[in-house]
């Protein structure tokens, strides 16, 4: 039997910490004279009691390290337990959502997907909107730490390639995982503060600046307005582009940057490919829009840049109705959403690293077909990529495509039309945010979806955010055998 005490100990502490974070929206609603603060008080007490009791009950088994089985359980367990408790304020107070809707909103928040079921976001109490932003901010920070410290050890989807880099690159400065986590938190906080100050300086209200900074740096995309980022125009859109891109770059490079090491950031193949591919997508869509619509080029460039980067990074903000752009831009949106950001970032989807490995593997195979006796090692960033990394990447792509297909079919069986089912599967498994189709509300909310569709989407969000394999392995009997 697996000893779950180390796992439940950590989960208990995190749930209790979530109860502490609920004090921020509580204080905001209390200061505004909104009675909704009572919901946050009740939810906070429940989190503190349940989390604290769980941690105390498991403390006697939490002295040593964790086995690989326990790490797998912890990774999935955190992303199940935290959204469950994070949904409490949305059930107990405004907007008073049904359980399934509150869970959907919380899961969408913590996985930084950004799809919402709420209509009338503008009318929500400030605390409720702030809590949605906090959920995304916590989820973005959590996935960065998981991607750097846990996934490489778990050898999920080729992430073992970064195991030595994550620890050896910083080994002389930050030799322990705790130090790496601390450095990441500091970078994450400073990026958020810089984003909020920038938004405020460019005209956002103080609350909107904080709310959108939380959901921009985390590449989550939830907004305090039904119209999303369409409420803001001009320089604010370009400012958001900068911080969405920063949120999609490897955070380990920012830690190096803070230590005075500048070269690795620009030399990183992921970074260069991500920036280059964003530029290609923006130019392709902007060129198409200029040729097919009578609109000022400056307006087209701004709207295209913002919405393409938002989709590419998996943030999911929108400033216009992207489905009205035409068939070619819509295909580009779907493609960039299936690429996503860099590894060790808050970005989502497949990740740039895996595409680079896939392309290199295809090149090597073509060379072998031309000259079977030649030796063509697959290299990435000057390092030889071992076969187990390539195999993991191929398995990840296979599972991603299969999961996407199965989820789309399952969603269509709930009664959703084809386009809606496909884009709902796309946005869930890739954690992108927007859904397109007849059943989607005018504000982009999916409140009208059947509960079965919402449940399937939640499962897709969790599986996609946790890199598929780390969840699927729990359903194998061998995993539970010592």
């Amino acid at each position: 039997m697996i000893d779950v005490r180390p796992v439940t100990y950590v989960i208990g502490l995190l749930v209790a910490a979530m109860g502490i974070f609920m004090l921020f929206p509580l204080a905001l609603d209390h200061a505004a004279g909104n009675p909704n603060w009572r919901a946050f008080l009740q939810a906070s007490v429940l989190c503190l009691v349940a989390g604290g009791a769980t941690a105390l009950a498991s403390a006697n088994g939490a002295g040593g390290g964790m086995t690989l089985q326990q790490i797998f359980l912890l990774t999935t367990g955190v992303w199940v337990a935290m959204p469950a408790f994070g949904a409490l304020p949305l059930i107990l107070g405004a907007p008073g959502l049904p359980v399934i809707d509150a869970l959907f909103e919380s899961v969408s928040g913590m996985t930084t997907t950004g799809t919402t079921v709420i209509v009338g976001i503008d009318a929500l109490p400030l605390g409720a909107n702030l809590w949605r932003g906090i959920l995304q901010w916590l989820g973005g920070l959590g996935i960065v730490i998981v991607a750097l410290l846990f996934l490489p050890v778990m050898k999920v989807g080729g992430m073992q390639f970064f195991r030595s880099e994550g620890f050896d690159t910083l080994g002389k400065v930050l030799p322990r995982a705790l130090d790496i986590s601390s450095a990441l938190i500091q970078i994450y906080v400073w990026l958020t503060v810089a984003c909020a100050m920038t938004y405020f300086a460019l005209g956002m209200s103080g609350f909107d600046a904080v709310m959108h900074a939380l959901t921009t740096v985390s590449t989550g995309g939830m907004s305090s307005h039904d119209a999303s980022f369409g409420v803001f125009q001009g320089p604010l859109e370009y400012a958001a582009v900068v911080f969405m891109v920063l949120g999609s770059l490897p955070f380990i490079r920012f830690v190096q940057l803070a230590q005075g090491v500048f070269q690795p950031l620009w030399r990183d193949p992921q970074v260069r490919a991500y920036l280059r591919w964003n530029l290609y997508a923006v130019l392709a869509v902007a060129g198409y829009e200029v040729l097919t619509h009578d609109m000022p080029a400056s307006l087209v460039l701004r709207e295209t840049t913002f919405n393409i980067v938002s989709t590419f990074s998996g943030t999911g903000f929108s400033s216009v109705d992207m489905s009205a752009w035409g068939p070619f831009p819509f295909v580009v949106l779907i493609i960039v959403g299936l690429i996503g950001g860099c590894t060790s970032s808050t970005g989502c989807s497949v990740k740039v690293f895996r595409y680079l490995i896939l392309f290199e593997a295809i090149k090597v195979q073509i060379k072998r077909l031309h000259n079977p006796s030649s030796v063509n090692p697959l290299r990435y960033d000057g390092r030889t990529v071992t076969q187990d990394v390539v195999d993991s990447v191929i398995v990840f792509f296979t599972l991603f495509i299969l999961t996407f297909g199965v989820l789309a079919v399952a969603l269509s069986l709930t009664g959703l039309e084809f386009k809606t089912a496909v884009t709902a599967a796309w946005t869930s498994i890739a954690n992108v945010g927007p859904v397109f189709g007849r059943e989607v509300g005018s504000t982009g909310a999916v409140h009208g979806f059947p509960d079965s569709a919402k449940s399937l989407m939640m499962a897709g969000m969790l599986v996609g955010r946790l890199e598929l394999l780390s969840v699927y392995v729990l359903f194998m009997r061998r995993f539970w055998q010592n």
Side-chain angles (χ1 to χ4, degrees):
M1 287 289 294
I2 301 174
D3 184 3
V4 298
R5 289 177 299 173
V7 176
T8 54
Y9 176 74
V10 175
I11 292 176
L13 291 179
L14 291 175
V15 169
M18 175 170 274
I20 295 174
F21 273 97
M22 289 179 183
L23 298 178
F24 292 103
L26 183 157
L28 183 62
D29 274 347
H30 188 272
N34 193 307
N36 194 57
W37 66 269
R38 295 187 179 91
F40 284 103
L41 177 60
Q42 294 170 4
S44 177
V45 171
L46 287 172
C47 288
L48 289 169
V49 171
T54 301
L56 286 174
S58 309
N60 60 340
M66 287 191 181
T67 65
L68 189 60
Q69 289 171 309
Q70 290 167 337
I71 292 175
F72 273 106
L73 278 175
L74 176 63
T75 305
T76 302
V78 167
W79 255 263
V80 172
M82 297 289 278
F85 282 92
L88 289 176
L90 305 177
I91 299 172
L92 299 173
L97 297 175
V99 173
I100 189 70
D101 284 359
L103 281 173
F104 184 97
E105 194 75 12
S106 187
V107 169
S108 179
M110 286 219 67
T111 58
T112 69
T113 303
T115 311
T116 186
V117 294
I118 301 175
V119 178
I121 294 174
D122 295 84
L124 284 179
L126 295 180
N129 263 326
L130 178 62
W131 181 239
R132 295 169 66 241
I134 289 175
L135 284 174
Q136 295 217 299
W137 192 81
L138 292 175
L141 174 62
I143 203 62
V144 170
I145 292 176
V146 166
L148 271 171
L149 302 183
F150 290 163
L151 294 184
V153 178
M154 297 155 70
K155 298 184 178 181
V156 170
M159 287 295 289
Q160 63 265 41
F161 182 82
F162 294 96
R163 182 176 182 180
S164 61
E165 181 179 6
F167 287 89
D168 292 347
T169 300
L170 301 174
K172 296 180 180 179
V173 181
L174 303 171
R176 295 175 299 162
L178 182 61
D179 293 330
I180 294 177
S181 299
S182 176
L184 290 173
I185 292 171
Q186 292 179 50
I187 295 295
Y188 195 68
V189 169
W190 280 115
L191 274 178
T192 306
V193 171
C195 184
M197 292 177 65
T198 302
Y199 283 161
F200 183 72
L202 292 176
M204 277 192 187
S205 68
F207 175 78
D208 277 342
V210 171
M211 169 69 183
H212 288 87
L214 293 172
T215 59
T216 300
V217 174
S218 64
T219 61
M222 283 185 171
S223 175
S224 50
H225 300 282
D226 285 304
S228 187
F229 226 83
V231 176
F232 313 105
Q233 300 291 327
L236 279 167
E237 290 175 282
Y238 284 117
V241 166
V242 171
F243 285 99
M244 286 190 289
V245 169
L246 291 176
S248 304
L249 301 183
F251 272 65
I252 198 73
R253 301 305 182 201
F254 296 142
V255 176
Q256 292 173 309
L257 205 60
Q259 298 295 330
V261 183
F262 300 93
Q263 292 181 343
L265 176 64
W266 176 242
R267 289 184 177 178
D268 192 324
Q270 283 192 97
V271 174
R272 302 176 73 169
Y274 178 71
L275 296 177
R276 189 169 62 248
W277 295 352
N278 264 285
L279 179 62
Y280 294 161
V282 168
L283 292 178
V285 173
Y288 176 90
E289 289 295 296
V290 168
L291 292 174
T292 57
H293 294 81
D294 184 18
M295 297 172 61
S298 59
L299 176 62
V300 169
L301 182 62
R302 173 166 54 82
E303 291 182 348
T304 302
T305 301
F306 176 83
N307 289 281
I308 288 292
V309 171
S310 178
T311 305
F312 213 137
S313 64
T315 307
F317 285 138
S318 61
S319 62
V320 294
D321 182 7
M322 293 179 285
S323 62
W325 281 359
F328 173 71
F330 186 75
V331 170
V332 173
L333 282 173
I334 298 297
I335 292 173
V336 299
L338 292 175
I339 297 175
C342 303
T343 55
S344 305
S345 74
T346 63
C348 61
S349 200
V350 176
K351 304 290 195 307
V352 173
F353 162 73
R354 294 191 178 101
Y355 281 97
L356 294 177
I357 293 295
L358 178 66
F359 296 157
E360 288 300 318
I362 292 173
K363 290 179 185 177
V364 168
Q365 190 60 34
I366 292 175
K367 290 179 181 177
R368 288 174 181 168
L369 290 175
H370 285 291
N371 188 358
S373 60
S374 64
V375 178
N376 299 292
L378 196 158
R379 301 185 68 82
Y380 174 88
D381 198 17
R383 299 165 57 191
T384 300
V385 180
T386 58
Q387 189 59 43
D388 67 320
V389 173
V390 178
D391 292 343
S392 295
V393 170
I394 299 301
V395 168
F396 182 90
F397 269 105
T398 303
L399 279 177
F400 188 90
I401 294 170
L402 286 174
T403 304
F404 177 47
V406 170
L407 184 58
V409 171
L411 285 167
S412 67
L413 293 176
T414 67
L416 299 180
E417 68 171 14
F418 177 75
K419 180 180 180 180
T420 310
V422 171
T423 57
W426 164 77
T427 205
S428 300
I429 194 70
N431 305 119
V432 178
V435 183
F436 305 99
R438 183 168 48 85
E439 295 93 337
V440 181
S442 59
T443 62
V446 297
H447 63 285
F449 282 22
D451 287 350
S452 55
K454 295 172 187 174
S455 299
L456 287 168
M457 288 182 69
M458 281 191 283
M461 292 175 198
L462 290 168
V463 169
R465 182 77 277 188
L466 294 176
E467 308 282 345
L468 284 80
L469 290 164
S470 62
V471 178
Y472 288 154
V473 72
L474 301 182
F475 295 94
M476 298 176 62
R477 189 167 71 175
R478 287 184 60 189
F479 174 83
W480 300 97
Q481 298 172 347
N482 289 328

